[in-house]
Amino acid sequence: MSIESKDWRIYERKIHQELSEVYEDCDFEFDDRVFGKYSKIDRQVDISIRSTVGGNKIFGIVDCKYFSKNIDVKIVESFLGMIEDVKANFGLIITNKGFSEAAKNRVKLKKINLEIVEFNKLKDIEITIDYLINRNIKNLDLSKYEFFKRCKQNWGYFDEIKSSYEKRRITFKEGFVKSEYYAFKKIRESGARVFRDFSDLSEITIRIPLIVQDTSSGLRKEKRMYYATIDKGELEVFLKIKFEDLKDDINKWRIDFIDNPKYTKKHILEFAKRYVLVKKI
């Protein structure tokens, strides 16, 4: 099934080179060795991917297949086992041909984060910080454990002590934002992110503390809490998006939300006028 070993190595190095050049936020190691937690042996990994988000280490592995025909389900099964063994957060199988229907179906039913990619579509993959940390959102269930775990992954300034799963409330630590405008922006973005991550969540309260200049004296500073209780359906109408679509396709999160040119400063201020309240603390 495999083609010349020389061509195989050229193919693997080309993938490593392209990933390294395009995705500068990540560290890519070619022909890595990772100790298996269950097998108790060193496992050979074509390409390993590492990054750090909010103090959390993210680790992924890439399997490069240079075959004369489509990848079958046995290859996928074997790679799923390797992901578990080396405790990777996600995995990629990249091939020069394609995948059998059985292989694609096996990936759809996975509980492990695995992507299968044809080589000519390699540049379509957004291997950014969002990509690395968001590989697990399709499998998230609304529970206290997953809710707090996900919030800590999303935000280094997440305040677990002052947040509440029961009250559906997310509170951030002081220093998360430096201005009132960015408090508005982050409340909006945080609400959208958590609705995307948890399909069963219908309402969320976001709270962000901020120290601001007292306009009456011009000298004294005061601490304020900016907060909003947001309904999922109302926010979808306001943003003109469907959070389920953003969950199903990771590229849509950046294209349709983060980098959407419709979401101007005026739009964010309109959001603040509709949803955000403020009080002294």
Side-chain angles (χ1 to χ4, degrees):
M1 181 185 292
S2 59
I3 304 178
E4 295 286 336
S5 60
K6 180 180 178 181
D7 293 336
W8 180 301
R9 272 308 193 202
I10 293 172
Y11 172 72
E12 288 182 345
R13 289 192 178 279
K14 183 172 178 57
I15 292 173
H16 177 261
Q17 180 181 350
E18 290 198 15
L19 291 174
S20 301
E21 289 177 356
V22 175
Y23 307 111
E24 298 178 353
D25 291 333
C26 310
D27 293 323
F28 296 89
E29 181 68 20
F30 179 73
D31 193 20
D32 202 357
R33 295 293 187 278
V34 181
F35 188 72
K37 302 302 185 293
Y38 302 115
S39 64
K40 303 300 181 184
I41 61 172
D42 286 320
R43 305 293 300 269
Q44 188 274 334
V45 176
D46 291 345
I47 301 170
S48 60
I49 306 173
R50 292 175 176 84
S51 190
T52 303
V53 181
N56 297 310
K57 292 183 178 179
I58 306 302
F59 172 54
I61 60 176
V62 180
D63 198 18
C64 307
K65 297 299 184 187
Y66 192 58
F67 285 175
S68 59
K69 63 181 183 180
N70 287 348
I71 298 297
D72 63 24
V73 69
K74 292 181 181 180
I75 298 293
V76 173
E77 290 283 2
S78 176
F79 191 56
L80 286 169
M82 179 179 280
I83 292 174
E84 288 186 306
D85 194 26
V86 301
K87 295 292 186 181
N89 300 104
F90 70 97
L92 301 173
I93 297 179
I94 300 174
T95 179
N96 60 311
K97 287 292 183 180
F99 298 85
S100 69
E101 284 303 311
K104 292 178 181 179
N105 291 336
R106 180 64 184 91
V107 171
K108 289 178 183 177
L109 295 175
K110 72 188 184 304
K111 290 188 177 180
I112 298 173
N113 304 309
L114 173 62
E115 288 282 313
I116 54 178
V117 185
E118 294 179 29
F119 180 68
N120 61 357
K121 297 180 180 178
L122 184 60
K123 291 184 178 179
D124 293 338
I125 294 195
E126 295 276 346
I127 303 186
T128 60
I129 295 301
D130 278 342
Y131 181 88
L132 296 181
I133 200 68
N134 288 340
R135 286 300 78 206
N136 64 349
I137 65 175
K138 293 182 181 180
N139 300 317
L140 282 176
D141 294 317
L142 185 58
S143 66
K144 184 177 181 179
Y145 171 80
E146 292 286 3
F147 183 78
F148 278 104
K149 179 182 178 182
R150 183 62 177 152
C151 286
K152 285 185 281 189
Q153 289 176 336
N154 280 334
W155 304 290
Y157 278 87
F158 171 68
D159 192 332
E160 184 174 357
I161 295 175
K162 295 182 180 179
S163 298
S164 171
Y165 171 75
E166 290 76 15
K167 295 180 180 179
R168 305 295 194 261
R169 183 180 69 206
I170 293 174
T171 303
F172 291 98
K173 297 175 183 177
E174 190 176 305
F176 183 52
V177 299
K178 302 298 183 183
S179 70
E180 184 177 74
Y181 171 72
Y182 278 98
F184 299 154
K185 187 175 182 179
K186 287 299 181 180
I187 288 174
R188 167 185 161 276
E189 180 183 320
S190 302
R193 187 183 290 271
V194 76
F195 285 138
R196 179 205 63 178
D197 289 355
F198 295 98
S199 301
D200 295 326
L201 192 67
S202 59
E203 186 178 271
I204 191 71
T205 297
I206 310 288
R207 305 194 307 173
I208 299 179
L210 174 66
I211 297 177
V212 298
Q213 200 79 32
D214 184 356
T215 54
S216 61
S217 67
L219 298 174
R220 190 175 67 242
K221 293 183 178 180
E222 64 181 26
K223 184 183 289 188
R224 298 175 183 172
M225 180 69 77
Y226 291 80
Y227 63 101
T229 297
I230 309 166
D231 177 85
K232 177 181 178 180
E234 288 183 10
L235 189 57
E236 283 186 321
V237 171
F238 180 78
L239 296 175
K240 297 180 180 179
I241 56 175
K242 288 288 185 182
F243 293 120
E244 198 63 34
D245 293 341
L246 304 185
K247 186 186 185 83
D248 288 340
D249 185 348
I250 191 63
N251 291 320
K252 285 182 174 290
W253 171 250
R254 184 159 297 280
I255 295 171
D256 293 352
F257 183 75
I258 297 296
D259 295 332
N260 194 327
K262 295 187 301 183
Y263 299 152
T264 61
K265 183 174 183 179
K266 180 181 178 181
H267 183 272
I268 292 170
L269 294 176
E270 287 176 357
F271 166 84
K273 184 177 180 180
R274 179 178 299 195
Y275 290 106
V276 181
L277 300 172
V278 60
K279 63 181 180 182
K280 294 181 181 181
I281 53 176

